[in-house]
Amino acid sequence: SAVISQKPSRDICQRGTSLTIQCQVDSQVTMMFWYRQQPGQSLTLIATANQGSEATYESGFVIDKFPISRPNLTFSTLTVSNMSPEDSSIYLCSVGVPGGRGQYFGPGTRLTVT
Amino acid sequence: KNQVEQSPQSLIILEGKNCTLQCNYTVSPFSNLRWYKQDTGRGPVSLTIMTFSENTKSNGRYTATLDADTKQSSLHITASQLSDSASYICVVSHNNAGNMLTFGGGTRLMVKP
C-alpha cells in the first residue's frame, strides 16, 4: 500500500489567516483527493486533485476558499483560506488504490481555528 | 440515493469480549466495500476490502462479511483489546476507478478494561 504523509499534523490558527497542508506519497499515483472531517462527523470529499490541471471541486466547496495544487504525481497541497472557527476540522488527503479498489488515507491534519 | 448506514452508532464493550458492527448499503453500481479503523484525530486505516464475489475476509482479529444480495456487511471483532477503541467506517466504492465513494457514519467503539 502507498505510504502517505501530511504536514503539518496539527495546527492552531487565528481567524482570517490561511494554512497550507502538504500531502506526499511515496509512489506515483493517478488520483489524489482531499477530504474534510468535522468533529464527530464522517468524511466529506472537498475535491479531486488533478495533476497538471485545476482541481475538481464537490458541491459546496470553491477554489477561492480551498485552492489546491498538484504539481506532480506524488505531491499535492490544500490551502484553507481566510479561516473561521467553522473550518476547524481534520483535513485528510487520500490516494486511489490501483484497480479501483478504494482509497488509502493519509494521517490527517488537525486544524483548530481560534 | 446512494447511502451507507452503520449500526450501532456507538458501542461499549469489556476487554476480551467479541462484538459485531453492521453496515447496510444502497449503492449502485457496487464495486467494493472496505472497512476502515480510525483512531481519534488520525486518518482511516483500511482493515478489509471485499468485492461482489467475496463474502468473508479476515485480518487478524477482524472478520468482515458481505452479503451482496441483501446489501449488508458486518465487521466482527474477536477478543477485543483496549487498542480497538476507535471509529469503524464502512465505505462502498461505486466504480472501478476508485474515485466515487460513499461513507457510512461510522460506529464508535469503546473497549473498557
Side-chain angles (χ1 to χ4, degrees):
Chain A
S1 62
V3 177
I4 307 169
S5 60
Q6 286 186 232
K7 289 182 182 179
S9 58
R10 58 174 61 211
D11 207 342
I12 301 173
C13 301
Q14 289 195 334
R15 180 196 300 262
T17 62
S18 298
L19 176 71
T20 295
I21 302 167
Q22 299 180 5
C23 178
Q24 180 76 53
V25 189
D26 68 341
S27 58
Q28 292 188 339
V29 292
T30 303
M31 311 194 81
M32 291 182 76
F33 308 91
W34 285 98
Y35 288 83
R36 179 175 74 182
Q37 186 175 29
Q38 295 177 303
Q41 303 294 315
S42 191
L43 284 74
T44 300
L45 180 63
I46 298 173
T48 302
N50 301 310
Q51 193 266 326
S53 64
E54 199 169 278
T56 304
Y57 290 84
E58 297 299 305
S59 175
F61 297 96
V62 295
I63 188 171
D64 289 346
K65 175 67 176 178
F66 297 102
I68 289 170
S69 78
R70 178 100 190 263
N72 55 53
L73 293 177
T74 64
F75 186 79
S76 178
T77 67
L78 168 75
T79 299
V80 187
S81 303
N82 188 25
M83 289 183 284
S84 66
E86 292 72 35
D87 294 320
S88 296
S89 295
I90 298 174
Y91 291 85
L92 299 133
C93 72
S94 74
V95 301
V97 180
R101 292 169 64 81
Q103 296 175 15
Y104 292 131
F105 290 87
T109 295
R110 186 169 228 172
L111 170 62
T112 302
V113 184
T114 60
Chain B
K1 180 183 178 183
N2 293 315
Q3 282 187 316
V4 176
E5 296 189 355
Q6 292 186 241
S7 62
Q9 285 190 325
S10 62
L11 181 63
I12 301 173
I13 62 173
L14 292 176
E15 186 179 11
K17 298 296 186 181
N18 304 335
C19 68
T20 300
L21 314 181
Q22 300 290 343
C23 172
N24 297 336
Y25 61 92
T26 54
V27 171
S28 183
F30 173 91
S31 177
N32 58 72
L33 184 149
R34 273 186 191 268
W35 283 93
Y36 290 88
K37 177 187 178 186
Q38 185 176 23
D39 293 315
T40 301
R42 306 293 295 172
V45 175
S46 180
L47 296 174
T48 63
I49 178 173
M50 287 178 292
T51 59
F52 187 88
S53 59
E54 298 172 301
N55 54 24
T56 301
K57 187 71 71 76
S58 291
N59 178 1
R61 294 180 296 102
Y62 301 103
T63 299
T65 66
L66 175 65
D67 185 332
D69 291 332
T70 61
K71 299 187 176 181
Q72 295 179 328
S73 177
S74 66
L75 181 70
H76 186 74
I77 304 174
T78 304
S80 60
Q81 300 176 358
L82 298 179
S83 59
D84 292 331
S85 296
S87 289
Y88 292 83
I89 306 172
C90 174
V91 182
V92 178
S93 180
H94 297 219
N95 62 6
N96 291 330
N99 64 335
M100 294 180 64
L101 305 181
T102 298
F103 291 81
T107 292
R108 184 154 190 84
L109 174 66
M110 183 178 295
V111 180
K112 290 193 167 182

